[in-house]
Amino acid sequence: MVGGDQSSRWGSTKFVQRNLEMEKNSKKAFKVIQGGKAEVVRPMKVLTHSDIKEFFAKFAEAIWVDQKRVNRLPRKKFHSQYDNGMWKRNREDHVFAIAELTMTVDRMPKRLLKQLSELAIAYRPEVVKQPLLDIISDRATGAASPWLYETASMFFNELIKAVSRKKTAITPKGSPTEMILRWFDYDDPLEIAKDSECEYVDVLASHIERESEETKRALAARGRLSFIEMRVAKEFGEYLSPD
């Protein structure tokens, strides 16, 4: 009888271990590759609302940092037609547009977050970069109908459609969270330096190269804080304004 109890307990232990092993394996996806050889692939990490907010915040931070850097560059090195006031307003309009979009991120459906995640790992960042700049510029400058990119859901739906028209290249390596932060360059995020009426790419690059790591961190921190302040002012301005 004792032996039977031990056997039963041993069988139960093996059963629990087997279930744990099956549960562990169920969290993996299997992909069949050429030659009938199976490769174990981890499931894709789907983007969250927090990831999208961080993407927008980092983008806005980079635009603010870019303006602070440009303020310190010698104007004589710029194109003769460079209009400092116009481009300053352009950057501000972009940050303002991003602040408005972040207010609607929580309403993005899970289906859209999954589609955006799939896009992030299917296309190289270079493929997404230009459509993203085109759409955010249309939103910031009012070049498109006001309702077209009014919410984050509409904005990213349009981005997915624009990028999906392009051919996929080599599948990039990295999680969706990592890949979306490569959809813009932190230095000159709106590519203003490359504009034909600006042309200060080399001057900006030289300036950034001379910056210390401490200066870079300070600029980033101040840029993030400025965006947060703008975001709060935009969302709660009507409650904070005096009667």
Side-chain angles (χ1 to χ4, degrees), residues 2-217:
V2 173
D5 289 342
Q6 287 178 336
S7 176
S8 177
R9 284 196 297 271
W10 175 245
S12 297
T13 301
K14 290 175 67 177
F15 177 77
V16 171
Q17 289 176 336
R18 187 165 60 250
N19 277 340
L20 288 173
E21 186 70 23
M22 290 174 64
E23 183 178 351
K24 181 179 178 181
N25 288 336
S26 69
K27 295 179 181 179
K28 297 179 180 179
F30 293 88
K31 178 182 178 182
V32 177
I33 59 177
Q34 190 173 3
K37 191 176 180 181
E39 175 190 6
V40 179
V41 181
R42 291 186 179 277
M44 176 185 67
K45 179 185 179 298
V46 177
L47 291 165
T48 65
H49 293 113
S50 294
D51 293 330
I52 302 302
K53 290 176 183 177
E54 174 60 21
F55 163 78
F56 277 135
K58 196 71 174 179
F59 197 2
E61 172 193 314
I63 296 171
W64 189 94
V65 169
D66 185 52
Q67 181 62 59
K68 291 300 179 183
R69 284 171 169 164
V70 169
N71 290 345
R72 300 178 66 85
L73 300 180
R75 293 290 178 268
K76 63 181 180 180
K77 298 288 187 179
F78 288 38
H79 192 282
S80 59
Q81 294 183 330
Y82 177 76
D83 187 333
N84 182 61
M86 182 192 75
W87 288 111
K88 183 175 184 292
R89 290 190 297 274
N90 181 270
R91 292 186 184 90
E92 290 172 348
D93 289 342
H94 278 76
V95 175
F96 188 78
I98 291 172
E100 289 186 321
L101 287 170
T102 60
M103 295 169 61
T104 65
V105 168
D106 286 332
R107 299 203 297 269
M108 291 177 65
K110 291 182 179 180
R111 170 193 53 78
L112 179 57
L113 290 172
K114 185 174 184 295
Q115 289 177 337
L116 203 58
S117 303
E118 292 168 346
L119 184 87
I121 61 174
Y123 292 86
R124 290 184 301 173
E126 294 79 8
V127 177
V128 185
K129 190 177 299 180
Q130 193 56 55
L132 174 70
L133 285 177
D134 291 342
I135 295 172
I136 192 64
S137 292
D138 284 349
R139 175 68 165 77
T141 62
S145 300
W147 54 267
L148 191 57
Y149 313 128
E150 187 176 5
T151 67
S153 292
M154 297 169 72
F155 179 89
F156 284 116
N157 269 318
E158 189 62 27
L159 179 64
I160 290 171
K161 285 193 293 184
V163 176
S164 297
R165 299 187 191 106
K166 300 178 178 293
K167 293 182 179 179
T168 57
I170 300 173
T171 302
K173 295 181 179 179
S175 69
T177 305
E178 295 168 333
M179 298 310 299
I180 63 174
L181 292 177
R182 300 178 197 170
W183 286 354
F184 60 88
D185 294 324
Y186 193 85
D187 301 333
D188 191 28
L190 301 180
E191 299 189 346
I192 295 174
K194 300 175 183 178
D195 190 274
S196 59
E197 295 183 2
C198 300
E199 297 180 351
Y200 56 87
V201 174
D202 294 339
V203 181
L204 178 63
S206 178
H207 175 83
I208 295 173
E209 188 176 349
R210 294 194 302 272
E211 282 183 349
S212 66
E213 289 304 316
E214 183 180 0
T215 298
K216 286 182 171 67
R217 288 193 295 270

